[in-house]
C-alpha cells in the first residue's frame, strides 16, 4: 500500500502561546500575571508549581549536569536571547529602518528600499529568498502561505509580552531547517546533546534575523521568529512548507535529517510561490513504530492512534510531563529524537530504506524489526564526538 500523510479533518484553530510549558514555566508565583493565568487555567497550577520548584536546565545539581557542556548550553542560548530581544526592538519599526542601538550596519534610505532586485516577480523573489536562506546557513528551506491557524492567538514569551494578542499581517512564511550533528544528537539525554540543540538554535536565530533584515532592505516587511520569540507555530508551518512530516514524537521529521533538525521562520508581506506538503511515509511508519513512545523516560508520547487536536490530526503529546523530565535531568532530553529510526546518518543503506518507506508500507514492520536488531529496541546514549563528558549513564 502507498503511504498516506496525516489527513486533517478541518481548519486549524489558533493556539495561545501562554498555554505552552515554556511560557508557564516563566510565571512568577505571587505576581498578578501568575494569579490571572491560573484563574483561567487552574488545571495547570499544581503540576506547574512542582516543575517550577525544580532547578533549571543546565543548572549544577541536575541529574545530567556537566560543567563544560552546561556552560556551552547557556552561552549558545544567550546568543539566541540577544537576537530574540533584537527582533522585539525592531518589530514595530517600519520596513527598511535600522533599529537604533542594535549595532547593525546603517545607511538605509528612509524614503524607500536601498536595494532592488532586478526581477521581483514571485518566482524570482522566491528563488532569491531560498538562496538567501541557504546562504545564511539553513540546510533546507520551504515556503508556505501563512495559515492564520498557525499564528499564536496571544503571546506567552517573552515575559514582558505575556498576554498580548498577536496580530501578524504577513501573507507568507519562509521556513528554515537546520540539521544537528548526528554524533551529538545520539548522546541525548546527556548535556552534550542539549549543547548541540542550543548551538543550532543560535545558528537558526542568526540566519532568520539576517534574512528578515535583508528582506527589509529590499523593501519587504519581514519578521524573524526565533527561539523564545515566536508568533507562529514553526512545526506546523514546516510540514505545510514541504520540509517533512509530523512524527509521533510531536516534532518535524525531515526526510533526510530525521527528527534531528531545529526550525526558524521568517514571515514576510511579499507574494511568494509556495511549496507542496510532502509525503515520505513517515507518519505512516509512525503508526507501526512507536519507538519514541516506548523509550520516552516521562511517558509523554502516546502509543495509540493519532487524534484530532485543534483541527489537526496528531499524536497528542503531554508537554508538561516532558518538560518536568527536562527540569529533573537538566537537559532537554532528546531520547525521542535519538531513538527514532529516521534519525540515522544519510548513508546509501539508510537512503534505500527511506526511499522504500516513502513508496510502500509493505516493509515497515521488517524495517522496524531490523532497526531494533541493529540499533536496539531501547538504544542507550552514545558518547558524543569532541566533548569529554565523562561517564554516560544508561
Ligand atoms: S524529549 Fe524526552 S521526555 Fe520529552 S517527549 Fe522526548 S523522550 Fe519524552
Ligand atoms: S521513533 Fe518511530 S514513532 Fe517515533 S517519530 Fe520516529 S518513526 Fe515515528
Amino acid at each position: 500500500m502507498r503511504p498516506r500523510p496525516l489527513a486533517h479533518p478541518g481548519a486549524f484553530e489558533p493556539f495561545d502561546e501562554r498555554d505552552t510549558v515554556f511560557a508557564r514555566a516563566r510565571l512568577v508565583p505571587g505576581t498578578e500575571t501568575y494569579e490571572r493565568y491560573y484563574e483561567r487555567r487552574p488545571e495547570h497550577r499544581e503540576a506547574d508549581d512542582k516543575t517550577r520548584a525544580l532547578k533549571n536546565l543546565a543548572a549544577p545539581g541536575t541529574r545530567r549536569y556537566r560543567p563544560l557542556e552546561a556552560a556551552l548550553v547557556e552561552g549558545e542560548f544567550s546568543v539566541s536571547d540577544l537576537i530574540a530581544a533584537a527582533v522585539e526592538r525592531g518589530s514595530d519599526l517600519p520596513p527598511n529602518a535600522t533599529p537604533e542601538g542594535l549595532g547593525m550596519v546603517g545607511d538605509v534610505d528612509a524614503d524607500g528600499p536601498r536595494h532592488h532586485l532586478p526581477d521581483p516577480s514571485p518566482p524570482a523573489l522566491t528563488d532569491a529568498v531560498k538562496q538567501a536562506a541557504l546562504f545564511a546557513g539553513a540546510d533546507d528551506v520551504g515556503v508556505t502561505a501563512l495559515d492564520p491557524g498557525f499564528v499564536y492567538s496571544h503571546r506567552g514569551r517573552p515575559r514582558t509580552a505575556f498576554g498580548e494578542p498577536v496580530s501578524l499581517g504577513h501573507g507568507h512564511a519562509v521556513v528554515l531547517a537546520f540539521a544537528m550533528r548526528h554524533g551529538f544528537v545520539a548522546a541525548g539525554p546527556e548535556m552534550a546533546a542539549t549543547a548541540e540543540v542550543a548551538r543550532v538554535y543560535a545558528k537558526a536565530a542568526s540566519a532568520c534575523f539576517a534574512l528578515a533584515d535583508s528582506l527589509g532592505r529590499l523593501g519587504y516587511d519581514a519578521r524573524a521568529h526565533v527561539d523564545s520569540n515566536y508568533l507562529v507555530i514553526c512545526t506546523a508551518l514546516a510540514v505545510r512548507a514541504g520540509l517533512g512530516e509530523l512524527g509521533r514524537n510531536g516534532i518535524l521529521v525531515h526526510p533526510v535529517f530525521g527528527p534531528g533538525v531545529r526550525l526558524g521562520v521568517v514571515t514576510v508581506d511579499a507574494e511568494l510561490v509556495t511549496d507542496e506538503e510532502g509525503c515520505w511515509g513517515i507518519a505512516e511508519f509512525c503508526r507501526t513504530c512507536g519507538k519514541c513512545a516506548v523509550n520516552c523516560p516521562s511517558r509523554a508520547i502516546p502509543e495509540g492512534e493519532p487524534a484530532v487536536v485543534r483541527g489537526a490530526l496528531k499524536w497528542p503529546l503531554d508537554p508538561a510531563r516532558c518538560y518536568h523530565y527536562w527540569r529533573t535531568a537538566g537537559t532537554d532530553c532528546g531520547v525521542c529524537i535519538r531513538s527514532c529510526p529516521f534519525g540515522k546518518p544519510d548513508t546509501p543503506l539508510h537512503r534505500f530504506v527511506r526511499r522504500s518507506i516513502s513508496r510502500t508500507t509493505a516493509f515497515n514492520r521488517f524495517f522496524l524489526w531490523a532497526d531494533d536488531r541493529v540499533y536496539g529496541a531501547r538504544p542507550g546514549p552514545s558518547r558524543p564526538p569532541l566533548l569529554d563528558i565523562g561517564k554516560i549513564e544508561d
Side-chain angles (χ1 to χ4, degrees), residues 32-49:
E32 201 187 323
T33 314
Y34 172 97
E35 294 300 338
R36 252 193 283 136
Y37 178 76
Y38 289 109
E39 268 168 32
R40 208 166 53 81
R41 293 278 193 213
E43 69 274 21
H44 293 319
R45 185 194 290 249
E46 193 183 336
D48 287 357
D49 281 345

Side-chain angles (χ1 to χ4, degrees), residues 20-281:
T20 62
V21 286
F22 302 115
R24 279 150 48 193
R26 284 167 178 76
L27 290 171
V28 180
T31 60
E32 201 187 323
T33 314
Y34 172 97
E35 294 300 338
R36 252 193 283 136
Y37 178 76
Y38 289 109
E39 268 168 32
R40 208 166 53 81
R41 293 278 193 213
E43 69 274 21
H44 293 319
R45 185 194 290 249
E46 193 183 336
D48 287 357
D49 281 345
K50 281 187 188 151
T51 301
R52 257 188 301 269
L54 298 170
K55 291 178 188 292
N56 218 327
L57 265 57
T62 47
R63 204 183 296 165
R64 308 278 177 180
Y65 176 72
R66 301 280 189 282
L68 172 61
E69 290 82 343
L72 288 170
V73 169
E74 292 179 349
E76 294 288 355
F77 273 129
S78 71
V79 174
S80 298
D81 288 346
L82 277 172
I83 296 171
V87 168
E88 204 59 25
R89 279 187 283 170
S91 61
D92 292 329
L93 291 162
N96 322 316
T98 302
E100 275 180 23
L102 291 188
M104 300 191 319
V105 179
D107 200 21
V108 175
D109 188 345
D111 297 331
R114 177 170 167 78
H115 307 288
H116 299 270
L117 290 174
D119 179 1
S121 67
L125 179 59
T126 306
D127 188 45
V129 167
K130 287 185 172 181
Q131 283 190 49
L134 297 171
F135 172 80
D139 294 297
D140 200 0
V141 57
V143 172
T144 184
L146 187 58
D147 185 324
F150 298 160
V151 179
Y152 284 124
S153 64
H154 294 78
R155 301 188 68 180
R157 293 188 293 170
R159 196 156 49 197
T160 47
F162 193 87
E164 280 179 14
V166 175
S167 159
L168 185 64
H170 298 157
H172 285 84
V174 185
V175 189
L176 290 76
F178 301 83
M180 295 190 285
R181 289 173 292 189
H182 184 263
F184 286 95
V185 172
E190 299 299 335
M191 185 88 48
T194 305
E196 175 68 358
V197 168
R199 183 188 73 83
V200 176
Y201 270 131
K203 184 179 169 186
S206 162
C208 290
F209 189 90
L211 179 61
D213 187 70
S214 304
L215 285 168
R217 288 163 196 275
L218 288 162
Y220 302 99
D221 191 31
R223 187 199 198 272
H225 302 264
V226 303
D227 183 51
S228 82
N229 192 337
Y230 300 107
L231 302 183
V232 296
I233 300 174
C234 298
T235 308
L237 287 168
V239 172
R240 272 286 172 84
L243 292 180
E245 291 182 59
L246 184 68
R248 181 188 288 272
N249 52 9
I251 57 179
L252 182 84
V253 181
H254 187 275
V256 177
F257 309 123
V261 288
R262 298 289 144 169
L263 302 168
V265 171
V266 172
T267 53
V268 60
D269 71 349
E271 263 314 309
L272 298 174
V273 179
T274 58
D275 290 296
E276 295 279 316
E277 197 168 326
C279 178
W280 297 266

Side-chain angles (χ1 to χ4, degrees), residues 246-251 253 259 282-293 295 301-302 315 335-343 368:
L246 184 68
R248 181 188 288 272
N249 52 9
I251 57 179
V253 181
I282 295 167
E284 197 81 74
F285 189 85
C286 288
R287 288 179 190 271
T288 309
C289 175
K291 218 164 163 172
C292 51
N295 281 279
I301 303 173
W315 283 274
V335 169
C336 52
I337 299 177
R338 185 246 289 156
S339 55
C340 179
F342 285 102
L368 182 60

Side-chain angles (χ1 to χ4, degrees), residues 189 249 292-293 295-301 317-319 321-323 325-326 332-337 339:
N249 52 9
C292 51
N295 281 279
C296 172
S298 72
R299 312 296 294 152
I301 303 173
L317 222 79
D318 187 336
R321 288 181 84 103
C322 169
Y323 186 64
Y325 179 78
W326 289 17
D332 69 352
C333 177
V335 169
C336 52
I337 299 177
S339 55

